[in-house]
């Protein structure tokens, strides 16, 4: 099966530890919310769903990081996730992590790989 690519945003839209970009992915035959942020120089993308209770993480569109830009945080429950790999870093996520979404960066753009 061939991998298809879809442009999510321009690379310049993602600042290190800054605002993310929301987008939709198809999963199990339905559309689901996802997001991409930049951390440690690379784009990191996940389904926009807290592992504790399935609500979207951002309290305002695109705001996923804590105040220090070190962790992704659920605005509803305070669950914290390592932006590098989506693993639970504290709070009520109890060891459950975020679901990664495959993306790549090339030619000044961020692509979703479906």
């Amino acid at each position: 099966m061939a991998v298809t690519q879809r442009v999510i945003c321009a690379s310049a839209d993602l600042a290190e530890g800054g605002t993310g970009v929301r987008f939709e992915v198809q999963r199990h035959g339905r559309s689901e919310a996802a997001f991409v942020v930049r951390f440690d120089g690379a784009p990191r993308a996940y389904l926009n769903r807290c592992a504790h209770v399935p609500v979207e993480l951002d309290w305002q569109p695109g705001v996923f990081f804590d105040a220090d830009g070190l962790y992704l945080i659920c605005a509803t429950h305070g669950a914290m996730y390592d932006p590098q790999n989506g693993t639970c870093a504290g709070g009520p996520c109890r060891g459950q992590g975020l679901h990664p979404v495959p993306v790549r960066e090339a030619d000044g753009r961020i692509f979703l790989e479906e």
Side-chain angles (χ1 to χ4, degrees), residues 22-42:
R22 296 170 52 106
F23 62 99
E24 296 287 321
V25 296
Q26 292 298 313
R27 190 166 185 251
H28 305 295
R30 62 186 177 138
S31 185
E32 292 197 43
F35 67 93
V36 61
V37 294
R38 183 174 301 283
F39 185 77
D40 201 19

Side-chain angles (χ1 to χ4, degrees), residues 14-78:
L14 300 177
E16 183 75 22
T19 303
V21 172
R22 296 170 52 106
F23 62 99
E24 296 287 321
V25 296
Q26 292 298 313
R27 190 166 185 251
H28 305 295
R30 62 186 177 138
S31 185
E32 292 197 43
F35 67 93
V36 61
V37 294
R38 183 174 301 283
F39 185 77
D40 201 19
R44 315 289 178 162
Y46 301 97
L47 292 181
N48 191 359
R49 184 175 61 228
C50 182
H52 171 232
V53 174
V55 297
E56 293 185 359
L57 274 69
D58 47 341
W59 62 279
Q60 288 187 348
V63 180
F64 297 99
F65 280 102
D66 65 356
D68 296 322
L70 299 176
Y71 295 100
L72 301 172
I73 188 164
C74 176
T76 303
H77 306 105

Side-chain angles (χ1 to χ4, degrees), residues 9-16 18-19 21 38 43 105-110:
C9 64
S11 294
D13 292 342
L14 300 177
E16 183 75 22
T19 303
V21 172
R38 183 174 301 283
E105 185 169 23
D107 301 321
R109 297 179 289 181
I110 307 297

